[in-house]
Amino acid sequence: MTRIFAGNWKMHLGPAAAAAFLDRFLQRYDGSADREVWFFAPAVSVMTVAETVRGRAGIRVGIQNVHWEEQGAFTGETSVRMAAEAGATAALVGHSERRHVFGETDAETGLKVRALLAGGLIPMLCVGERLEEREREETLDVVLRQLRVLDGLDADEIARVRVAYEPVWAIGTGRNASPEDAATVHAAIRAELVRLGMPVEAAQVLYGGSVKPDNVGSLVAQAEIDGVLVGGASLDPDSWQRIVAVSLD
Ligand code: PGA
């Protein structure tokens, strides 16, 4: 299965900085049939990124958040159609910062997933437990509850969803889940996706949370880990280059 290396730029890299980043990154990126590189750019940079990577095989541009309504009085929000028009073909949904900093609920992530599918974009649904939930051994309960928003999607729809497992305590902390622990959660997520109707070969589950050039190899070496979603280490072209070039043998 093609592995996905996705960068989540968060609130970094406006249009000028994004263009400078890509200029440097693309000079050394040749592409490779066994992997795809995705960029989740800030809304204002999506168009610049999409235009800069146009024609490059294996690179996808996404947005970090959308609203589920088509249009209207929603100050500060971006619709799916607007994101698509700017060149996005994917979107993050339910990132832990959306959930825990901005109070996004499971009901809202469900609406966003459906709006994205209706608009032809790929939703990358992020799930993950907080530290106190992990300590109470509730990791699988939390993750499975967050996946429940996919209930009721038809077979074609669910096959287009991607999932990123991002333990909240691992995001931006320098503390990644051990590859073995992550793989256990990934296996549970994959089983749930299949139960919900996703064909096994379509079930792609990424790991996110303090992925760096020096730990990416041990993570993607796990058969259960189909790619990575990277925040901090995706912002520097050199570190990103080292991550996406990791050996998959
Ligand atoms: P991090 O962020 O790689 O900086 O931990 C990951 C994410 O939030 O997607």
Side-chain angles (χ1 to χ4, degrees), residues 8 10 95 97 166 170-173 208-212 229-233:
N8 171 13
K10 307 194 181 188
H95 185 274
E97 286 143 26
E166 299 203 300
I171 295 178
T173 58
S210 294
V211 176
K212 307 282 177 218
L229 178 57
V230 186

